[in-house]
């Protein structure tokens, strides 16, 4: 397998069009054209403990991100049905992208070989990308911790 992409601050974010939970399509260029930036976070699975902690941290800080000009969007390889249950259960105010074929994961370098209990498999490397309105990457972190990374992100972006 080829080495995954490793994006860095200052590079152009890979543009995309993707389907969200309700079946609508969103595009990065279109979202950025509003003048807001985008916080794109990749997480492994809906309704797992770490992913729920992370999603709820983004939910609890959503208003502050919004007021500071940032849109929050989550991405996983789960289905729209799974996303809807996750959204409803946790009252998430932001879109979740359905990336069942992992193409968006591959574009951002978050689809990685992982191992657990001696088995090797492909899965999501929990990662967050902050995309400025001009389309460049302002903040890039691979392998973030579910707990505390939203707080770090808010500090680094001066979100009050």
């Amino acid at each position: 397998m080829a080495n995954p992409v490793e994006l860095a601050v200052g590079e152009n974010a890979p543009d995309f069009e993707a389907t969200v939970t309700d079946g609508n399509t969103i595009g990065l260029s279109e979202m950025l054209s509003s003048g807001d930036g985008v916080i794109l976070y990749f997480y492994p699975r809906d309704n797992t403990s770490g992913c729920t902690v992370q999603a709820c941290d983004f939910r609890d800080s959503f208003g502050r991100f919004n007021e500071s000009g940032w849109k929050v969007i989550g991405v996983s390889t789960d289905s729209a049905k799974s996303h809807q249950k996750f959204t409803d259960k946790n009252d998430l105010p932001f879109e979740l992208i359905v990336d069942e074929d992992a193409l968006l994961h591959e574009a951002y370098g978050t689809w990685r070989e992982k191992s657990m209990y001696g088995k090797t498999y492909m899965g999501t490397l929990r990662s967050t990308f902050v995309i400025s309105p001009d389309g460049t990457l302002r903040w890039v972190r691979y392998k973030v911790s579910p707990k505390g990374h939203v707080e770090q992100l808010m500090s680094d972006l001066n979100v009050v």
Side-chain angles (χ1 to χ4, degrees):
M1 172 169 162
N3 286 336
V5 169
E6 189 90 14
L7 299 175
V9 169
E11 293 180 359
N12 286 330
D15 199 4
F16 63 85
E17 283 201 354
T19 304
V20 292
T21 307
D22 64 9
N24 285 326
T25 300
I26 61 172
L28 180 60
S29 301
E30 186 183 327
M31 286 184 285
L32 296 174
S33 70
S34 71
D36 286 341
V38 172
I39 297 170
L40 192 64
Y41 83 94
F42 290 78
Y43 65 98
R45 282 270 166 255
D46 291 338
N47 293 305
T48 56
S49 59
C51 296
T52 300
V53 163
Q54 185 180 26
C56 291
D57 277 356
F58 273 116
R59 175 200 65 203
D60 296 346
S61 303
F62 181 75
R64 290 162 52 199
F65 278 122
N66 243 4
E67 288 167 18
S68 298
W70 297 104
K71 292 179 174 150
V72 175
I73 302 168
V75 185
S76 84
T77 55
D78 291 307
S79 68
K81 186 177 180 183
S82 175
H83 278 350
Q84 193 60 62
K85 286 181 183 171
F86 190 47
T87 297
D88 292 346
K89 182 177 179 183
N90 296 292
D91 199 23
L92 303 180
F94 48 84
E95 298 283 6
L96 297 177
I97 291 176
V98 178
D99 190 32
E100 289 178 292
D101 55 12
L103 291 177
L104 191 53
H105 281 68
E106 287 178 7
Y108 279 79
T110 62
W111 193 242
R112 302 281 180 101
E113 193 171 273
K114 299 171 93 176
S115 64
M116 187 184 300
Y117 307 121
K119 283 192 153 177
T120 302
Y121 63 97
M122 294 302 292
T124 302
L125 182 65
R126 187 185 310 275
S127 305
T128 300
F129 303 87
V130 175
I131 306 163
S132 293
D134 69 1
T136 58
L137 293 165
R138 178 166 167 189
W139 197 90
V140 173
R141 296 288 189 288
Y142 288 97
K143 204 173 181 185
V144 297
S145 169
K147 196 175 178 95
H149 111 274
V150 171
E151 196 175 304
Q152 181 65 54
L153 178 61
M154 291 178 72
S155 172
D156 290 352
L157 294 178
N158 296 316
V159 171
V160 287

